[in-house]
Amino acid sequence: MTERVVLAYSGGLDTSVCIGWIAEETGAEVIAVAVDVGQGGEDLDVIRKRALACGAVEAEVADAKDEFAEEYCLPAIKANALYMDKYPLVSALSRPTIVKHLVAAAEKHGASTVAHGCTGKGNDQVRFEAGIQSLAPQLKCIAPVRDYAMTRDKAIAFCEDKGLPIATTKKSPYSIDQNVFGRAVETGFLEDIWNAPIEDLYEYTSNPATAQESDEVVIAFEKGVPVAIDGRPVTVLQAIQQLNERAGAQGIGRIDMVEDRLVGIKSREVYEAPGAIALITAHQELEAVTVERELARYKRQVELRWTELVYDGLWFSPLKRALDGFVAEANEHVTGEIRMTLQGGRATVTGRRSAQSLYDFNLATYDTGDTFDQSMSKGFIEIFGLSSKIAAKRDLAQ
C-alpha cells in the first residue's frame, strides 16, 4: 500500500509546491487539508480544486471559524491571555485548531505522516508537531521547507518546471499570518528594530491618529463568555468580528514588540488584534468587579503560565488542560456588562454593572450611608504590620 501524507495546505505557492515535492521525495500520496480560521482570502472550494490540480490525491477543506472562536479564542479571553503582557496569541491559537483537523484527516485516510510548511526557526513548527504528537503519537511529521531546504527560489523553479497552476509573482516583503482573532506581520524592513512600522503594514486597523468621533460599546458577558453587544445577542465569533470592525476603525489593537520566541531568539513582530484587545480589556475589567481578591491574585499567575503554554505549542498538554479547569471556575461569576469608549487607538472602560458584583457602594462610599466600621482599622493595622515592626526593632538595635 502506498504511504500517505496529510499536508497542512494554505493554497499559496509554498504549500502547493509541497504537494509534488513530498511525492517526489518520499513516494507518498498527498492529502491536502485547508482549514478556514477566518483568515479571509480565496474561497475554500477554489483552494480545494487547486490542491487537486497540483497533484493531491484528496483535498479537504473545513470551515472552522466558529470552532476556532468558541474552543480556542474564548479560553484565551477567559484567561486574559497576553504573551509578554502584549500579544493575544493570534497565531498560537490557530495552530491547535488546524492540528485537530490534520490528525482527523490522517486517521480518515490512513496516513502515517503529517506535513506542514513551517521554517526551522519559528514557533509554528513546534506548535504543529507538539500538537500532533499529543493527539496522535504514532504519526510522523515532516516540514519540506525545513527538512529538504525548500527555498522560495527552488519552489518557484519547481512550480514552473511542473507547470503548476500557481502565480509566482514577486513575494511580499513581509511574512503575514492572519485569522479572525488578529493579524501578524514580520520580516522585511521590520527586522531592523529601529525602523518604525508604516501604514501600509496594516489591514485590520485604521490609523489611530486620524481624528474621528468616538464609538461607545456595551459588551455583556455570562460566565466570561461575550454574549451580547449593545444589547444584541452574539456568538463568540460574531463578537470578535463586530469588534474587529468597530475597534479596528478606531485603530485599537496595534502592537509592535520584540518577542521572545520559543526557539531562543528575539523577533520583531507587528500585530493587529482589535477585537481580541477590546474583548480582553472588557473581560479584565468585569473580573475586577466580580472576582474575589485572593482568587484574582492567583489567577494572574495562572494566566501567565497558561499563556506561556499556549505560546509554546502545548495546547494539548496535561498542565494546560488542568489550568483550563481553574480558569473556567474563576470565570463562574464573571457575568455583567462593560461600557467602553473606542477612540484614538484605545478602548477605555467607562462603566461596569453586574448582578454578581462584589463592589458594595455602602462600604465604598465616603458619604452618608457609609457602613464600613473605620474603628476596626487601627487594630487591623497593628496586627498586619506586627511582624515587620518586630523585625525593624531588631535591625535598629544592631
Side-chain angles (χ1 to χ4, degrees):
M1 182 178 175
T2 304
E3 188 173 353
R4 289 189 149 191
V5 175
V6 166
L7 171 67
Y9 185 65
S10 69
L13 172 67
D14 291 340
T15 54
S16 293
V17 168
C18 277
I19 295 172
W21 194 291
I22 291 169
E24 287 195 0
E25 291 288 336
T26 68
E29 295 178 336
V30 177
I31 294 96
V33 176
V35 182
D36 183 359
V37 286
Q39 65 267 35
E42 295 179 302
D43 181 79
L44 284 177
D45 194 52
V46 172
I47 291 174
R48 185 185 66 82
K49 290 176 180 176
R50 180 177 303 139
L52 294 171
C54 288
V57 296
E58 299 276 359
E60 294 189 1
V61 293
D63 182 348
K65 293 190 292 294
D66 278 298
E67 174 191 347
F68 176 53
E70 293 172 10
E71 298 180 25
Y72 300 88
C73 300
L74 177 58
I77 294 167
K78 288 183 175 182
N80 301 317
L82 296 170
Y83 182 67
M84 297 178 68
D85 299 321
K86 294 181 180 179
Y87 167 47
L89 301 176
V90 170
S91 298
L93 291 169
S94 72
R95 301 321 183 216
T97 318
I98 296 168
V99 160
K100 198 170 179 181
H101 286 270
L102 294 174
V103 169
E107 293 174 352
K108 174 182 174 181
H109 295 283
S112 60
T113 304
V114 174
H116 59 80
C118 302
T119 70
K121 63 188 297 183
N123 298 310
D124 283 339
Q125 57 178 335
V126 183
R127 294 165 180 160
F128 275 113
E129 296 184 27
I132 290 164
Q133 291 167 4
S134 295
L135 293 181
Q138 77 280 5
L139 292 175
K140 295 178 290 186
C141 296
I142 59 172
V145 175
R146 179 193 67 197
D147 301 340
Y148 303 128
M150 195 190 82
T151 64
R152 185 168 180 85
D153 289 344
K154 290 181 180 178
I156 291 173
F158 186 92
C159 179
E160 292 174 348
D161 182 58
K162 303 296 182 183
L164 299 180
I166 304 295
T168 57
T169 54
K170 184 179 178 182
K171 185 183 181 184
S172 164
Y174 314 117
S175 174
I176 299 171
D177 179 63
Q178 62 191 43
N179 56 56
V180 74
F181 210 52
R183 185 169 177 269
V185 185
E186 62 177 0
T187 71
F189 81 97
L190 293 172
E191 290 177 345
D192 182 340
I193 60 176
W194 186 250
N195 288 336
I198 59 176
E199 278 302 308
D200 287 350
L201 285 176
Y202 300 106
E203 288 188 8
Y204 284 17
T205 56
S206 300
N207 189 337
T210 302
Q212 54 184 312
E213 291 186 12
S214 64
D215 182 6
E216 186 176 271
V217 61
V218 177
I219 305 173
F221 292 85
E222 288 183 8
K223 297 186 177 181
V225 181
V227 294
I229 294 179
D230 292 335
R232 293 185 292 275
V234 290
T235 64
V236 178
L237 176 62
Q238 290 168 341
I240 297 169
Q241 290 172 327
Q242 290 181 27
L243 287 167
N244 275 343
E245 290 188 14
R246 293 175 66 174
Q250 299 287 341
I252 294 164
R254 291 189 175 188
I255 303 157
D256 177 7
M257 64 186 291
V258 175
E259 180 180 303
D260 287 324
R261 282 188 177 178
L262 172 61
V263 295
I265 63 176
K266 288 184 181 288
S267 173
R268 202 274 187 85
E269 309 282 344
V270 172
Y271 296 107
E272 297 179 275
I277 294 301
L279 284 165
I280 290 172
T281 300
H283 181 266
Q284 287 175 321
E285 192 68 19
L286 188 56
E287 281 193 333
V289 173
T290 58
V291 178
E292 183 271 334
R293 175 175 178 261
E294 294 304 318
L295 176 57
R297 283 184 169 185
Y298 196 80
K299 183 172 183 286
R300 285 191 284 275
Q301 299 177 47
V302 172
E303 290 171 356
L304 175 63
R305 193 70 190 102
W306 190 96
T307 301
E308 291 171 343
L309 289 168
V310 175
Y311 182 88
D312 290 349
L314 297 175
W315 179 275
F316 300 106
S317 68
L319 177 56
K320 156 65 173 50
R321 287 198 302 270
L323 295 183
D324 282 340
F326 175 90
V327 171
E329 174 66 25
N331 274 269
E332 190 64 24
H333 297 292
V334 185
T335 296
E337 292 180 314
I338 295 294
R339 186 180 66 237
M340 296 194 302
T341 297
L342 311 177
Q343 189 176 37
R346 296 178 62 85
T348 304
V349 173
T350 61
R352 316 133 181 92
R353 62 185 176 194
S354 170
Q356 301 291 315
S357 174
L358 297 178
Y359 177 85
D360 188 323
F361 175 85
N362 292 324
L363 288 174
T365 185
Y366 285 86
D367 294 333
T368 303
D370 180 8
T371 59
F372 187 87
D373 186 351
Q374 297 188 41
S375 67
M376 295 189 298
S377 293
K378 183 175 178 59
F380 166 75
I381 295 167
E382 287 290 332
I383 295 172
F384 181 75
L386 184 59
S387 64
S388 295
K389 180 178 179 181
I390 294 168
K393 285 182 177 180
R394 177 203 62 193
D395 295 343
L396 290 171
Q398 292 178 352

